[in-house]
Amino acid sequence: MSSVNQAEVRQRWAGRGFSCDLWVDSPGRVWNDFVHECDELVMLVEGEEEFEMNKRKYYLQIGEELLIPAGTTHTARNVGRTTSKWLYGYKRQ
């Protein structure tokens, strides 16, 4: 299993103009239909999280990154049996 160095990700994302924070979801947690005014990056750190946008579902591997463009309605779901952890960041304006 791959691990994520959060300090390195934070530094890389900052170089690209993004913030970087950790989110923790309990099993079954769903965040429905969010829209942000700026681009968002997400990266799975632990567990199983499903991201959905534009009627397409994304199942990230640990360390895999997904860009959610500004103005895109999206949903995040912990589809696993354990706590999931993922990094998220917003493009600084």
Side-chain angles (χ1 to χ4, degrees), residues 1-21:
M1 178 162 135
S2 192
S3 67
V4 174
N5 182 321
Q6 294 178 41
E8 286 180 7
V9 172
R10 185 171 285 111
Q11 186 176 22
R12 281 197 321 265
W13 285 11
R16 294 164 58 193
F18 284 84
S19 62
C20 183
D21 291 295

Side-chain angles (χ1 to χ4, degrees), residues 68-86:
I68 302 169
T72 302
T73 301
H74 58 285
T75 295
R77 295 178 188 91
N78 181 341
V79 294
R81 295 182 180 175
T82 62
T83 298
S84 68
K85 297 179 181 178
W86 43 286

Side-chain angles (χ1 to χ4, degrees), residues 42-53:
V42 295
M43 176 184 286
L44 187 63
V45 173
E46 182 179 305
E48 298 175 66
E49 193 79 18
E50 171 190 277
F51 297 92
E52 184 176 353
M53 65 178 160

Side-chain angles (χ1 to χ4, degrees), residues 15-83:
R16 294 164 58 193
F18 284 84
S19 62
C20 183
D21 291 295
L22 179 67
W23 197 263
V24 179
D25 281 334
S26 58
R29 182 67 169 124
V30 178
W31 300 95
N32 281 312
D33 300 330
F34 277 81
V35 178
H36 305 291
E37 294 180 5
C38 57
D39 291 345
E40 179 181 15
L41 281 176
V42 295
M43 176 184 286
L44 187 63
V45 173
E46 182 179 305
E48 298 175 66
E49 193 79 18
E50 171 190 277
F51 297 92
E52 184 176 353
M53 65 178 160
N54 299 323
K55 299 182 182 182
R56 182 170 174 204
K57 295 180 181 180
Y58 299 84
Y59 300 92
L60 304 182
Q61 299 296 312
I62 302 296
E64 187 177 3
E65 172 180 297
L66 177 68
L67 175 67
I68 302 169
T72 302
T73 301
H74 58 285
T75 295
R77 295 178 188 91
N78 181 341
V79 294
R81 295 182 180 175
T82 62
T83 298

